[in-house]
Amino acid sequence: MRDIFKKQSVANFLEVDSRLTKSLTAKDLLALGIGAIIGTGIFILPGHEAAMHAGPAVAIAFLMSGIVAGTVGMAYAEFSSAMPVAGSAYSFGSVIYGEGIGWILGWSLILEYFLSVSAQSVGFASYFNNNILGAFGIHLPKYLSAGPMEGGGINLTAVLIVLVIAYVIAHGTSLSKRVENVAVIIKVSIIVLFIIVGAFYINTKNYVPFYPQEFHSSPFGLGGLSTSAATVFFAFIGFDALASNSAETINPKKDVAKGILGTVFIAIILYVAFSLVLTGVVNYKDLNVDDPAAYALKVIHPNFWNKLITLGALVGIFTALLTLFFGGSRLVYALGRDGLLPKKMGEVDTKYSVPKNAIYMATVVQAFFAGLVPLTELTSLINAGTLLAFIFISFGIIPLRKRKDIPNDGYKMPLYPVLPVLAGLASLYFLLMLPKLSKITVIIWLVIGAIVYLVYGLKHSKLQNS
């Protein structure tokens, strides 16, 4: 008899994932995490959210979401220490809650990863087309620079960057790690320079009102700020990819925690400072553009810095693409490994020790959305699945601690059980504060996922047939 609440074995996951090469250190994970978080989130989201939901208080929104993400990150770090396996929330959920819940979390995160890569690709295309090609007088026609929802045909640059990232990922962890480590140093340096240079051009009048009355809504007048904080969770999902990489980490019991918590701490500082400078240089009403940092520097006319921030944006988004593509492909691999998706997805290439079929499948889907769907639509669809996973992983610390068969002599979340419960409740609050479109979309996606599981996954599951 098939049982959707049948639980996976950690030992089985560890045995199968031993095919993956262990090559990542804490420094590599920190670079991967910063690579993912400091991407489209910092170079694009502050502008949109300031204009649409929070005004200059977008800095507070990033602080709020960063604190919650950091707290949830502690839960992910404990799970990764106890279960250093591929698949992140999917694998964790399958062991703690049972295969059915694990599948729902995995299905939610597939949406998160694939759309995140597509969104980052569209952000990359916006900076590249406007500020690199435009500088040389090259202007792509509408049918090659925008999808059909924007009156075009296909966003060619967005599709091409997905293919480039796929090539790097398909050639092994070592290559992507080297590219990531160098690129992270470049982009963080450029962001710090933007903050320092921009600070000299701040007009304090742009901070008044700091949280405009037009965004005050329920609850308690914090509706706009809460919606903004919920939306910018998109910027912090990179640490989930670090948990996905725990099977390829040399010392996951300590290094995954260092990577996750270090990533979130650095990201909060950079996001808050970046947002304050951006909204101080340009009035929030003028920031609803896809390249706000470059736009701000155009306003104050330092051409050299404008070119430099464009370089930083391109490098930053490129590294974010690497980490998110990496995490998404490993999730597809994990689902194929367990029979919930076709077993071809769970195969590992013998030459590079990477799941090439999972990478190919991710490439096709991500390139499709990147080429056809605009950035604002993509970002609005991402966060619900992320927050759903956050809720289950946070509350999951409680049953994890009670499992005597899963010993953990590595990292443990502090202030147990209060902190896990607070992290879960905060994630639930932000899930409820998302725009209606996000909630409707994720419900439709989960219904589709339930059908796929009941029709295909339950029948082919290795756990169910064992």
Side-chain angles (χ1 to χ4, degrees):
M1 183 177 177
R2 301 186 186 279
D3 177 10
I4 64 172
F5 295 108
K6 189 174 183 180
K7 295 175 181 177
Q8 279 281 9
S9 162
V10 177
N12 179 57
F13 280 158
L14 291 171
E15 180 182 354
V16 178
D17 289 345
S18 64
R19 300 173 296 170
L20 299 171
T21 302
K22 289 184 176 292
S23 63
L24 299 174
T25 64
K27 183 180 72 173
D28 298 324
L29 290 171
L30 187 62
L32 283 168
I34 294 173
I37 290 180
I38 310 299
T40 294
I42 196 165
F43 291 109
I44 293 178
L45 282 185
H48 283 306
E49 289 308 307
M52 296 169 61
H53 294 126
V58 67
I60 305 300
F62 275 111
L63 179 61
M64 291 166 60
S65 61
I67 290 172
V68 174
T71 308
V72 177
M74 296 178 188
Y76 271 86
E78 178 168 341
F79 267 101
S80 296
S81 175
M83 297 183 235
V85 299
S88 185
Y90 154 69
S91 295
F92 303 154
S94 297
V95 172
I96 295 300
Y97 298 107
E99 185 183 71
I101 298 297
W103 163 262
I104 289 298
L105 296 181
W107 187 252
S108 298
L109 291 174
I110 283 179
L111 179 71
E112 169 201 314
Y113 277 118
F114 284 7
L115 292 185
S116 293
V117 170
S118 300
Q120 300 273 7
S121 301
V122 175
F124 183 96
S126 177
Y127 269 92
F128 187 83
N129 292 344
N130 293 339
N131 300 290
I132 300 296
L133 294 183
F136 292 98
I138 301 172
H139 301 283
L140 293 178
K142 189 81 169 180
Y143 64 86
L144 291 179
S145 60
M149 296 177 70
E150 297 174 293
I154 185 171
N155 191 329
L156 181 61
T157 306
V159 172
L160 291 177
I161 194 60
V162 171
L163 299 180
V164 171
I165 295 295
Y167 176 83
V168 175
I169 294 291
H171 282 73
T173 306
S174 296
L175 176 60
S176 55
K177 181 177 70 175
R178 290 196 301 270
V179 173
E180 188 92 43
N181 288 348
V182 173
V184 162
I185 295 172
I186 294 172
K187 73 172 177 182
V188 170
S189 300
I190 292 174
I191 290 169
V192 171
L193 280 173
F194 170 83
I195 293 170
I196 294 172
V197 172
F200 289 99
Y201 294 89
I202 288 175
N203 180 354
T204 54
K205 292 181 180 179
N206 288 327
Y207 290 139
V208 183
F210 192 70
Y211 180 41
Q213 184 68 35
E214 64 198 271
F215 300 130
H216 290 205
S217 59
S218 61
F220 312 113
L222 299 175
L225 188 60
S226 298
T227 297
S228 183
T231 303
V232 300
F233 260 107
F234 164 67
F236 289 98
I237 64 174
F239 72 76
D240 179 87
L242 300 190
S244 290
N245 294 337
S246 57
E248 294 161 87
T249 301
I250 297 171
N251 184 13
K253 290 186 177 297
K254 294 182 179 180
D255 288 351
V256 175
K258 292 177 182 177
I260 290 175
L261 299 179
T263 291
V264 175
F265 178 74
I266 292 171
I268 289 174
I269 293 174
L270 292 178
Y271 269 115
V272 171
F274 189 94
S275 300
L276 286 171
V277 170
L278 183 68
T279 53
V281 171
V282 180
N283 188 276
Y284 74 92
K285 296 178 181 178
D286 299 324
L287 285 173
N288 196 19
V289 294
D290 283 346
D291 54 348
Y295 175 78
L297 290 172
K298 285 178 184 176
V299 170
I300 56 180
H301 303 299
N303 291 329
F304 170 75
W305 295 111
N306 177 271
K307 292 180 175 63
L308 195 62
I309 197 65
T310 296
L311 173 63
L314 293 175
V315 173
I317 296 170
F318 187 88
T319 56
L321 283 165
L322 276 175
T323 303
L324 294 169
F325 200 131
F326 200 101
S329 63
R330 294 315 186 264
L331 178 57
V332 173
Y333 152 78
L335 294 170
R337 170 197 67 191
D338 300 335
L340 301 180
L341 288 178
K343 64 180 181 180
K344 283 280 187 184
M345 298 296 108
E347 293 179 357
V348 176
D349 176 74
T350 54
K351 183 177 181 181
Y352 295 107
S353 298
V354 296
K356 275 200 171 179
N357 292 326
I359 291 170
Y360 295 151
M361 192 266 264
T363 301
V364 171
V365 177
Q366 290 161 172
F368 174 82
F369 282 106
L372 302 179
V373 183
L375 180 68
T376 51
E377 297 296 328
L378 288 168
T379 54
S380 69
L381 303 178
I382 293 169
N383 293 307
T386 306
L387 287 164
L388 186 66
F390 282 8
I391 293 166
F392 276 92
I393 293 304
S394 297
F395 288 129
I397 291 295
I398 296 173
L400 174 64
R401 292 279 181 100
K402 296 178 180 178
R403 290 283 293 269
K404 302 301 182 184
D405 60 320
I406 309 177
N408 179 19
D409 57 358
Y411 177 83
K412 290 186 178 180
M413 192 175 187
L415 302 178
Y416 173 88
V418 176
L419 204 55
V421 171
L422 289 177
L425 291 175
S427 300
L428 177 61
Y429 171 75
F430 284 129
L431 177 63
L432 297 175
M433 291 307 300
L434 283 172
K436 184 180 292 186
L437 175 63
S438 297
K439 289 181 281 193
I440 293 174
T441 302
V442 81
I443 289 172
I444 295 172
W445 180 252
L446 292 177
V447 170
I448 295 171
I451 294 171
V452 172
Y453 177 67
L454 294 174
V455 173
Y456 181 90
L458 200 57
K459 181 180 178 181
H460 295 85
S461 165
K462 292 180 180 179
L463 176 66
Q464 300 292 340
N465 292 312
S466 61

